[in-house]
Amino acid sequence: AAGGISTGKSMLAAMVLGADGVQVGSRFVASEETSNHIDFKKMVVNSQEGDTHLTLKELAPVRLLKNKFYQEVRNAYQNGASIEDLKVLLGHGRAKKGMFLGDLEDGELEI
């Protein structure tokens, strides 16, 4: 099971429902051991329900924290962006810029 697993209680619930194991990612993204930028970690810890959105499914589905870049992605979809348009918008190194270099506005903030 994966998605929404953040406590022992949610892990147990998945097991009771028949899961052989669980995948936990977001729970650890803000841990001391990660190389993520401290500002990204703080944003993750302070995020609330509704602060993320699953998007870019045509390229590789990703859950993004909502920021300026996310708004640009949303606007691109509203304007009928093609897969090529989305690739150009995403560019290269956008996730590194956000999660590892701490650009919370223009970086891709995957969670």
Side-chain angles (χ1 to χ4, degrees), residues 78-96:
Q78 289 174 344
N79 293 323
S82 67
I83 291 175
E84 200 54 43
D85 294 332
L86 294 173
K87 285 180 182 178
V88 169
L89 178 59
L90 184 59
H92 295 287
R94 180 88 69 162
K96 178 181 178 183

Side-chain angles (χ1 to χ4, degrees), residues 23-34:
Q23 178 182 352
V24 180
S26 301
R27 180 74 172 155
F28 300 109
V29 75
S31 69
E32 185 177 319
E33 295 81 7
T34 69

Side-chain angles (χ1 to χ4, degrees), residues 6-45:
S6 60
T7 66
K9 186 176 180 180
S10 55
M11 186 173 93
L12 177 61
M15 300 293 202
V16 167
L17 292 171
D20 290 328
V22 297
Q23 178 182 352
V24 180
S26 301
R27 180 74 172 155
F28 300 109
V29 75
S31 69
E32 185 177 319
E33 295 81 7
T34 69
S35 57
N36 294 322
H37 193 279
I38 187 66
D39 292 339
F40 173 64
K41 291 179 184 185
K42 288 177 183 176
M43 189 172 183
V44 169
V45 169

Side-chain angles (χ1 to χ4, degrees), residues 36 40 62 64 69 90-103 106-110:
N36 294 322
F40 173 64
V62 62
L64 296 179
F69 170 67
L90 184 59
H92 295 287
R94 180 88 69 162
K96 178 181 178 183
K97 184 177 188 179
M99 298 184 308
F100 299 105
L101 300 179
D103 185 339
D106 293 316
E108 179 183 356
L109 306 178
E110 297 180 15

